[in-house]
Amino acid sequence: MAVSGGSERPVGIDELLERVRAGYSRIEPQKAYEAAQSGEALLVDIRYAALRERDGLIPGALVVERNELEWRLDPQGSHRAPEATSHELLVVVICNEGYASSLAAESLRRLGLHRATDLVGGFQAWRAEGLPVR
């Protein structure tokens, strides 16, 4: 997907998000919780430290700073997290409100993690649903 270049007009962030999200199915908090509980999904929290300290953590979620995400989740990478076991892994990326996570999920999909998705509404939606936070 070309963002801009050549004779194409520049794409604003709202249009980019729309294009990115059209390429995969996003997941709602309750479904993500159930998938994580069953061992089907790896939840990945990319919120920055101040938000995690302020609002808490999702138990069992892998915390990865956004700027390290691709290196930590690439199953072939030399800096991968132990949880990054396969390109078949269902990765659910979680940011604060569900915007940055969409772009992050797209980046993981480009690495071959074809089941990567993001949480609709992010951490705030997770918490609003009354799902576990510590």
Side-chain angles (χ1 to χ4, degrees), residues 9-20:
R9 68 174 177 73
V11 175
I13 189 61
D14 292 331
E15 184 177 342
L16 179 61
L17 273 173
E18 188 177 310
R19 287 183 185 185
V20 163

Side-chain angles (χ1 to χ4, degrees), residues 5-111:
S7 62
E8 292 184 37
R9 68 174 177 73
V11 175
I13 189 61
D14 292 331
E15 184 177 342
L16 179 61
L17 273 173
E18 188 177 310
R19 287 183 185 185
V20 163
R21 289 173 174 170
Y24 66 93
S25 296
R26 301 177 77 210
I27 192 168
E28 297 287 338
Q30 186 63 44
K31 292 273 189 196
Y33 173 73
E34 292 167 5
Q37 291 298 298
S38 71
E40 179 189 354
L42 173 63
L43 304 180
V44 180
D45 187 344
I46 64 167
R47 293 174 301 141
Y48 54 89
L51 288 176
R52 294 190 312 266
E53 290 168 11
R54 182 189 78 189
D55 294 337
L57 297 168
I58 295 172
L62 176 65
V63 174
V64 177
E65 297 289 331
R66 173 61 190 99
N67 64 329
E68 297 177 355
L69 183 68
E70 292 81 0
W71 284 266
R72 303 290 289 150
L73 272 287
D74 178 3
Q76 299 174 333
S78 59
H79 299 292
R80 74 174 181 82
E83 295 87 348
T85 56
S86 164
H87 285 94
E88 300 302 315
L89 185 63
L90 173 58
V91 175
V92 179
V93 183
I94 303 166
C95 68
N96 195 48
E97 294 181 345
Y99 295 98
S101 57
S102 295
L103 300 176
E106 170 65 14
S107 183
L108 293 178
R109 293 173 73 81
R110 288 181 179 210
L111 279 177

